[in-house]
Amino acid sequence: DAGITQSPRHKVTETGTPVTLRCHQTENHRYMYWYRQDPGHGLRLIHYSYGVKDTDKGEVSDGYSVSRSKTEDFLLTLESATSSQTSVYFCAISPGQGANEQYFGPGTRLTVT
Amino acid sequence: SQQGEEDPQALSIQEGENATMNCSYKTSINNLQWYRQNSGRGLVHLILIRSNEREKHSGRLRVTLDTSKKSSSLLITASRAADTASYFCATDALRNNAGNMLTFGGGTRLMVKP
């Protein structure tokens, strides 16, 4: 999986609790992305990063925040988890413009009860 | 909103047959990509076709792009049971200097029966 790991791989949490998902890469790629995948919706972009401390919102960013303090790590935080955030979360990386194929991590299955 | 829409949503064929999946999109693109996802796994990049290309091959994969119709097709020839997966098209959108964003369609679920 192109040097991308996600942790945890599975998590069950209660409504209202904070949750942080971690994406770690060893490829030194500039761009990192967080997606969620839900039945009937395909993959939807939550947030992305185009460098250390440079992030921007995607299509479904409400309720999520991100941080990137190092090239290799991109964190996704749900400040107060809701049941609608139950989903499978994928991290992806890309070397950059002109070579914009994305390489995906194995995913994190999050259940909010 | 989904930029790319795959058709059909599900496809079941016998091993050895060809599988064709289609993708339609709405706005102008720089390139279009196809990805495969095996059950419970992350997406894997298959092939990229640029907006100035009409056809591209990679092994048993053939991708066509018709920018006038805003559509693409993915053909898998001589399918194998191991090709069973979901297939997604993704279109890119350059946004300022913030890197390339991809918009994914809902996918086609392909089942290849042995």
Side-chain angles (χ1 to χ4, degrees):
Chain A
D1 286 323
I4 311 169
T5 57
Q6 292 184 232
S7 58
R9 293 292 313 279
H10 301 271
K11 185 168 181 69
V12 180
T13 192
E14 294 184 348
T15 297
T17 60
V19 176
T20 295
L21 308 183
R22 180 181 183 236
C23 177
H24 179 78
Q25 61 148 329
T26 57
E27 305 295 323
N28 200 36
H29 284 347
R30 178 182 176 187
Y31 300 95
M32 299 185 75
Y33 308 83
W34 276 108
Y35 294 90
R36 59 178 290 173
Q37 185 175 33
D38 305 288
H41 290 279
L43 258 72
R44 292 180 292 175
L45 181 66
I46 305 171
H47 281 280
Y48 67 98
S49 170
Y50 48 99
V52 173
K53 297 194 170 131
D54 292 322
T55 65
D56 205 349
K57 296 178 180 180
E59 179 187 357
V60 290
S61 59
D62 287 348
Y64 302 95
S65 62
V66 290
S67 65
R68 191 170 178 199
S69 58
K70 299 183 290 184
T71 298
E72 55 266 36
D73 289 327
F74 193 31
L75 304 181
L76 176 70
T77 298
L78 291 66
E79 300 292 346
S80 178
T82 67
S83 59
S84 65
Q85 293 176 312
T86 292
S87 186
V88 181
Y89 291 85
F90 288 99
C91 175
I93 63 175
S94 174
Q97 296 181 356
N100 65 341
E101 306 95 281
Q102 292 186 12
Y103 303 94
F104 283 78
T108 293
R109 183 173 295 277
L110 175 68
T111 302
V112 183
T113 61
Chain B
S1 63
Q2 293 178 355
Q3 162 79 314
E5 295 289 344
E6 286 91 341
D7 171 61
Q9 290 188 328
L11 180 62
S12 181
I13 59 175
Q14 294 294 134
E15 204 165 29
E17 294 180 339
N18 295 340
T20 300
M21 289 158 268
N22 303 297
C23 170
S24 59
Y25 57 92
K26 299 173 185 174
T27 62
S28 296
I29 61 172
N30 290 311
N31 63 63
L32 185 145
Q33 303 178 32
W34 285 91
Y35 289 79
R36 182 188 72 218
Q37 184 181 34
N38 291 91
S39 181
R41 306 288 296 273
L43 278 69
V44 174
H45 180 264
L46 293 176
I47 194 165
L48 179 153
I49 186 165
R50 301 192 186 280
S51 59
N52 61 352
E53 297 175 311
R54 291 295 167 260
E55 187 171 312
K56 202 162 184 180
H57 297 255
S58 177
R60 294 184 294 112
L61 304 181
R62 172 179 170 252
V63 171
T64 61
L65 179 64
D66 187 334
T67 53
S68 67
K69 295 181 180 178
K70 291 186 169 56
S71 67
S72 173
S73 67
L74 171 67
L75 169 67
I76 303 174
T77 60
S79 64
R80 305 166 182 168
D83 294 327
T84 293
S86 291
Y87 292 82
F88 296 87
C89 69
T91 52
D92 79 330
L94 280 174
R95 214 169 92 166
N96 301 323
N97 291 315
N100 297 330
M101 293 169 56
L102 294 180
T103 304
F104 287 82
T108 292
R109 295 186 309 279
L110 173 66
M111 175 175 289
V112 181
K113 300 176 184 176

